């Protein structure tokens, strides 16, 4: 009998069969009970009381009716079928790769990995932290530089961040000049230019094959191998640059570095690039893990996330995020970068690819790609075709005067995409997927015999051959069989708390359901295997899907136009501010450079404003957490002639619908400024209010929050930017794709790929399609109901710091522990760590107010899980009261010692005044589903004082 798979249809017998009812956790009866606990009889009354009338939209969402899961997948199949998957030998930083099945199924398709959050709570993140440390070790070893971070957004933005790092390292006060090799990837050059303009940095490109030109430069960017495929010795240019006091940055291909001398041995101070070809599909441009590695002395200025090794309360090694974990929230406009995340899921995949293959396997893959390229070069030479560069790794540049277009078309007819470089040159890039049939097809396309005259030799000089060892740590030698790899991945996964294990009540981060149906299309070949620079007619389905998503997002937000190019929320912020900057310049008001930012704002706001060339002026908040309108008007008055913008998060970072938002917008507009509404909290507005209607000019949206792209342990993310009509001409564009933005007036590319992380956009498309207009509004109402229910249950035990009208909150609430800490010594951190013993990820700790916990339940959590969390918090409050009453020692109690590992509980010398059972099983339900933390509380300061950012030796873990 053949099994039948179907999506049930909603009916009185199956009331929760519609997707929206499966996405929203509480049943109708549960919702009624929650409303009663808040003090309301129906949802409409609560929403009317919580959401100010001044911002409410007067028209429903004009979106297609909700599709079933089956229908949504069928529609995506139609779109996917419009894409044509050929073998792309285009190169330009994107290469064919094979994702090992054990990594595809057990990482990319595994919610234990893709639903995890940024590892700010390291005790419950040891698995992904170890995986990231593997990635850092791979990058450090291959580049020959001592410290690598936990990934960047892509190669282009990594190069731009390296430029900024080089400028900081130069300690120059003036912007100065940055020199870029003309053989760098074209998209990288343009991303660097985009980022340099607002900073006043002059970017100069030059052919550096013969050395440095005259001039004064604070930094030099080299490509290794070059975009043309050329492999050159980096040492001479590096020496010249250092002699002039310049920092040397090398954008390097990690796979090539298994065979070629690493940048760190040729004078590089910084190496950047992409780990895409380590098992991560094209995805039409992303998401992929960029990387950065630096020389000694630069690590404390490095942007992004850095995993380090510290010790726990027992002195055992433990992993954590090192140095300035959340520096944007601490240093704000003085932060080194606006990037507050990474591409963790993709970095995990790339690191595991190296773990699975090991150094010998990687070298063999590189050797095969290189020899395929050498075979093509030999065949072309034998056929009379000129090869431009004698030294290359995987890319052959052929000169065919006047024939380039014909050759590319002939290759396409044979199922292969080549890269045309002008009228006279064609580039051919080989990779892990290149087989002899591809070599034959390429040679035929050039019109030469397919037979290669004898075996092809290596095509780079012995002097550039790598001699130094890499990936010597045992982790890269211990998991060769699929069984061993499967168990290693499972062992790491079991150390962590992700959304598949329990709710993650992080305020400001919206950890909601990432439905399996939404995730499924990501790995379809028609979406996964399209090169970002393949001919556009091979991506018709992608372009149609992207346009539909952009139009839907515009309808939801009330904006005229949306660009999905920014590949993180931070990049969406920058894109929005650059649009404002471009608008002012177009009106002859380039002098407008002051950005007002409330003190409650996300720290990335201030960092992004600085990167956009603006001066940050902070606006105070009142005791209720709202923008202090008196101070706002004072600041507007003081900076009226130079006012560029205000950045406002709405609902506020304090979790409140501020009543004055329309007045704030009007006041800024009256002074000639623009209004930027940070879309981080859009999940409290969808279907109820549109920023583009209540006064905002531009917003970025977090698709990894409101629109269900999973956080992946701290990435991938997508941060589209939406604008009103007058800002549309200043959206991002792309040098290689005129379809990706306003070609003539755009601000330039924000990310390396034309549509950013296009490979995960089907997730948000599917979410919107399956929720439909009514479901999207119901999700917003559900989020507001859940937050207010949680606040109502917790308020008798923990003060709720900020509320709006009627004592209501928006989609999150802040539990204030400052008075409790003063009275008992128990801190918000103690509560966060004790929650681990109860099996929960902690809420957001000490942001936006120190000594507090910001809690966001989301609409996806059912009532049973919400109550389980509330019960845990209330039980912890009783434990705190026991401390206050003297029943527990103030310094030796279950909270101060949390979390408790199994090893600690089994120790023979248990010396604590409370029992082991109280430590391990504070509530009875934990006996059935106990999560055991792998380490005790981690010493954060030790890890910064003793910085170790690559895999420690095995003996470090010996008992």
């Amino acid at each position: 009998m053949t099994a039948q798979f179907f999506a049930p249809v909603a009916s009185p017998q199956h009331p929760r069969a519609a997707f929206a009812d499966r996405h929203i956790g509480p049943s109708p009866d549960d919702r009624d009970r929650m409303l009663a606990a808040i003090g309301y009889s129906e949802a409409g009354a609560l929403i009317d009381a919580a959401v100010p009338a001044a911002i409410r939209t007067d028209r429903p969402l004009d979106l297609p009716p909700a599709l079933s899961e089956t229908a949504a997948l069928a529609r995506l199949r139609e779109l996917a079928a419009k894409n044509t998957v050929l073998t792309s030998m285009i190169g330009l930083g994107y290469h064919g790769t094979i994702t090992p099945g054990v990594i595809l199924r057990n990482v990319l398709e595994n919610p234990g990995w893709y639903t995890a959050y940024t590892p700010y709570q390291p005790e419950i993140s040891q698995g992904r932290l170890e995986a990231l440390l593997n990635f850092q070790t791979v990058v450090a070893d291959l580049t020959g530089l001592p410290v690598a971070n936990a990934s960047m957004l892509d190669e282009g933005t990594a190069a731009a961040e390296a430029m900024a790092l080089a400028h900081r390292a130069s300690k120059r006060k003036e912007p100065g000049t940055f020199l870029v090799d003309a053989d760098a990837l074209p998209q990288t050059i343009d991303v660097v230019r985009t980022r340099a303009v607002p900073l006043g940095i002059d970017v100069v490109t030059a052919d550096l094959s013969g050395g440095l030109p005259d001039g004064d430069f604070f930094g030099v960017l080299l490509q290794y191998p070059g975009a043309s495929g050329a492999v050159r010795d980096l040492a001479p240019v590096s020496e010249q640059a250092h002699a002039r006091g310049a920092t040397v940055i090398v954008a390097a291909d990690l796979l090539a570095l298994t065979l070629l001398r690493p940048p760190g041995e040729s004078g590089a101070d910084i190496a950047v690039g992409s780990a895409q070809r380590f098992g991560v599909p094209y995805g039409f441009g992303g998401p992929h893990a960029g990387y950065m590695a630096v020389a000694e002395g630069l690590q404390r200025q490095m942007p992004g996330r850095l995993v380090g090794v510290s010790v726990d309360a027992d002195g055992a090694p433990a992993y954590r995020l090192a140095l300035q974990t959340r520096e944007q929230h601490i240093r704000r406009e003085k932060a080194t970068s606006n990037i507050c995340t990474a591409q963790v899921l993709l970095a995990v995949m790339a690191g595991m690819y190296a773990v699975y293959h090991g150094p010998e396997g990687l070298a063999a893959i590189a050797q095969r790609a290189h020899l395929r390229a050498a075979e093509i070069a030999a065949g072309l030479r034998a056929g009379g075709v000129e090869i431009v560069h004698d030294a290359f790794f995987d890319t052959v540049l052929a000169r065919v005067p006047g024939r380039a277009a014909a050759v590319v078309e002939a290759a396409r007819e044979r199922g292969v995409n080549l890269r045309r470089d002008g009228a006279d040159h064609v580039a051919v890039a080989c990779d892990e997927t290149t087989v002899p049939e591809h070599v034959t097809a390429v040679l035929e396309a050039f019109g030469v015999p397919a037979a290669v005259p004898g075996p092809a030799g290596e095509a780079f000089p012995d002097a550039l051959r790598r001699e130094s060892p890499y990936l010597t740590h045992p982790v890269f030698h211990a998991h060769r069989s699929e069984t061993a790899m499967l168990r290693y991945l499972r062992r790491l996964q079991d150390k962590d708390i992700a959304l598949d294990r329990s709710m993650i009540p992080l305020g400001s981060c919206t950890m909601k359901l990432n439905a399996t149906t939404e995730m499924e299309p990501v790995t379809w070949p028609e979406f996964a295997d399209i090169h970002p620079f393949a001919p556009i007619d091979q991506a018709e389905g992608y372009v149609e899907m992207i346009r539909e998503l952009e139009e839907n997002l515009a309808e939801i937000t009330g904006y005229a136009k949306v660009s999905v190019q920014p590949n993180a929320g931070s990049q969406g912020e920058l894109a929005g501010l650059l649009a404002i900057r471009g608008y002012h310049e177009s009106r002859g008001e380039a002098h407008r450079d002051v950005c007002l930012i409330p003190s409650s704002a996300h720290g990335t706001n201030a960092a992004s404003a600085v990167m956009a060339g603006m001066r940050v002026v902070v606006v105070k908040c009142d005791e209720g957490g709202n923008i202090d309108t008196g101070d706002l008007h004072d600041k507007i008055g003081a900076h009226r002639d130079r006012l560029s913008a205000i950045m406002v998060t709405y609902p506020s970072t304090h979790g409140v619908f501020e009543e004055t938002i329309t007045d704030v917008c009007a006041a800024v507009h009256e002074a000639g400024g623009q209004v930027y509404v940070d879309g981080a909290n859009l999940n409290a507005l969808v279907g109820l209010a549109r920023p583009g209607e209540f006064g905002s000019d531009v917003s970025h949206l977090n698709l990894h929050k409101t629109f269900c792209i999973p956080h992946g342990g701290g990435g991938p993310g997508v941060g589209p930017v939406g604008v009103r009509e007058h800002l549309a001409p200043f959206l991002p564009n792309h040098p290689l794709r005129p379809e990706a933005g306003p070609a003539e007036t755009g601000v330039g590319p924000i990310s390396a790929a034309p549509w950013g992380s296009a490979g995960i956009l089907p997730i948000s498309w599917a979410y919107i399609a399956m929720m439909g207009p009514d479901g999207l509004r119901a999700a917003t109402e559900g989020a507001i109901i859940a937050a207010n229910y949680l606040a109502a249950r917790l308020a008798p035990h923990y003060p709720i710091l900020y509320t709006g009208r009627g004592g209501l909150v928006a989609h999150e609430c802040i539990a204030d522990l400052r008075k409790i800490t003063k009275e008992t010594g128990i801190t918000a951190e103690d509560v966060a760590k004790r929650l681990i013993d109860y099996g929960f990820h902690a809420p957001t700790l000490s942001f936006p107010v120190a000594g507090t916990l910001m809690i966001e339940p989301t609409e996806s959590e059912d009532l049973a899980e919400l109550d389980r969390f509330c019960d845990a918090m209330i039980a912890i409050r009783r434990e705190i009261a026991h401390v206050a009453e003297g029943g527990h020692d103030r310094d030796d109690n279950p909270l101060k010692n949390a979390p408790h590992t199994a090893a600690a509980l089994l120790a023979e010398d248990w010396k604590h005044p409370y029992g082991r059972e109280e430590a391990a099983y504070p509530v009875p339900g934990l006996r059935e589903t106990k999560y055991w933390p792998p380490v005790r509380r981690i010493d954060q300061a030790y890890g910064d004082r003793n910085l170790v950012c690559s895999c420690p030796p095995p003996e470090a873990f010996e008992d």
Side-chain angles (χ1 to χ4, degrees), residues 826-880:
I826 300 299
T827 66
E829 182 179 13
D830 294 330
V831 173
K833 304 307 180 187
R834 183 58 170 157
L835 274 169
I836 297 173
D837 289 330
Y838 285 77
F840 282 104
H841 194 296
T844 301
L845 176 63
S846 290
F847 176 80
V849 180
T852 66
L853 294 170
M854 184 161 62
I855 309 166
E856 181 177 354
T858 85
E859 75 275 9
S860 295
E861 299 300 338
D862 61 24
L863 181 55
E865 185 72 354
L866 296 176
D867 281 338
R868 193 171 75 90
F869 174 75
C870 289
D871 291 345
M873 289 290 289
I874 293 167
I876 289 172
R877 186 63 183 92
R878 288 196 293 267
E879 292 178 340
I880 296 172

Side-chain angles (χ1 to χ4, degrees), residues 154-370:
D154 60 30
E155 181 165 344
T157 53
E161 293 286 350
M163 173 184 69
L165 173 55
H167 190 264
R168 288 193 299 276
S170 73
K171 295 184 169 53
R172 301 187 185 202
K173 294 183 179 179
E174 73 284 355
T177 300
F178 186 64
L179 180 64
V180 179
D181 186 355
D183 203 19
L185 299 177
Q187 68 270 23
T188 295
I189 295 173
D190 279 87
V191 170
V192 167
R193 287 188 187 280
T194 299
R195 295 277 287 271
V197 168
L199 301 178
I201 293 172
D202 185 24
V203 175
V204 173
T205 59
D207 179 359
L208 304 185
S209 59
L212 293 182
D214 294 335
D216 179 39
F217 317 105
F218 68 81
V220 178
L221 173 64
L222 306 171
Q223 192 83 39
Y224 183 65
S228 67
V231 172
R232 300 187 179 98
D233 188 352
L234 304 176
V237 172
S238 297
E239 291 172 5
Q240 293 176 35
H242 287 151
R244 299 194 200 178
T247 297
V248 176
I249 303 163
V250 174
D253 182 324
L254 286 181
L255 190 64
L257 300 185
T258 64
L259 303 180
L260 298 177
R261 184 202 302 161
E265 295 176 16
S266 296
D269 303 294
I270 305 171
V272 296
S274 171
Q276 177 267 319
R277 68 190 311 176
F278 277 30
V280 182
Y282 288 124
F284 203 39
H288 306 137
Y291 74 80
M292 179 181 288
V294 299
E296 190 65 42
L298 293 176
Q299 61 266 40
R300 294 180 184 271
Q301 299 184 63
M302 187 165 51
R305 293 284 169 260
L306 182 66
V307 176
V309 183
S310 189
V311 295
D312 73 356
D314 291 330
Y319 308 117
R320 59 181 281 275
L321 291 177
L323 301 180
Q324 298 162 348
T325 301
R326 298 169 69 188
E327 69 156 353
Q328 290 83 12
H329 298 305
I330 299 169
R331 302 185 67 218
R332 301 176 74 84
E333 67 269 19
K334 294 183 174 62
T336 57
S337 167
N338 71 338
I339 294 177
C340 64
T341 183
Q343 294 281 29
V344 171
L345 185 66
L346 300 317
V348 169
M349 290 179 65
M352 291 304 174
Y353 180 91
V355 167
Y356 195 43
H357 287 296
E360 300 87 1
L362 293 179
I365 292 169
Q367 192 72 25
R368 285 198 302 272
H370 177 63

Side-chain angles (χ1 to χ4, degrees), residues 537-558:
D537 61 0
Q538 295 177 20
E540 289 182 359
Y542 246 128
V543 172
E544 186 174 344
M545 184 266 293
I546 289 169
R547 293 294 179 237
E548 289 182 7
L549 177 58
E550 289 178 341
E551 290 169 2
N552 289 342
L553 293 174
E555 167 60 20
I556 289 167
T557 57

Side-chain angles (χ1 to χ4, degrees), residues 503 785-795 813 855 857 866 869-870:
M503 72 180 288
I785 292 169
N788 280 282
Y789 172 75
L790 192 147
R793 280 211 62 191
L794 294 183
C813 61
I855 309 166
L866 296 176
F869 174 75
C870 289

